[in-house]
Amino acid sequence: PTTAPDGTSVIYHAPVGYIPGTTIVTKNGLGQTLGAVYTESSPDAGEITFTTVPLVTDKLWMQCRTLAG
């Protein structure tokens, strides 16, 4: 997801919208739990929201399913 962790942001975006319930998010290579660590705050906008601010040194990765156009 974008932007890179800056120690203050909790909202991150995929480059496109996604199908709700299909996100897989990792932080520093460890799977994160939907509903506990992050929420799918706006699937149409590609947005997820972390419950705790990721650190500047954290590496975030997001995989999701999108609608084929």
Side-chain angles (χ1 to χ4, degrees), residues 2 10 12 23 38-39 45 48 57 62:
T2 58
V10 293
Y12 294 86
T23 57
Y38 75 97
T39 60
I48 62 169
T57 55
M62 177 179 173

Side-chain angles (χ1 to χ4, degrees), residues 3-12 49-57:
T3 58
D6 60 10
T8 60
S9 297
V10 293
I11 299 172
Y12 294 86
T49 302
F50 281 89
T51 56
T52 304
V53 177
L55 302 174
V56 174
T57 55

Side-chain angles (χ1 to χ4, degrees), residues 3-69:
T3 58
D6 60 10
T8 60
S9 297
V10 293
I11 299 172
Y12 294 86
H13 294 88
V16 295
Y18 57 83
I19 299 169
T22 66
T23 57
I24 298 171
V25 175
T26 63
K27 182 169 71 173
N28 302 321
L30 301 174
Q32 304 299 294
T33 305
L34 175 60
V37 177
Y38 75 97
T39 60
E40 295 179 339
S41 45
S42 183
D44 290 339
E47 182 180 283
I48 62 169
T49 302
F50 281 89
T51 56
T52 304
V53 177
L55 302 174
V56 174
T57 55
D58 286 339
K59 303 291 185 214
L60 303 177
W61 181 80
M62 177 179 173
Q63 179 179 345
C64 57
R65 290 189 59 135
T66 61
L67 293 174

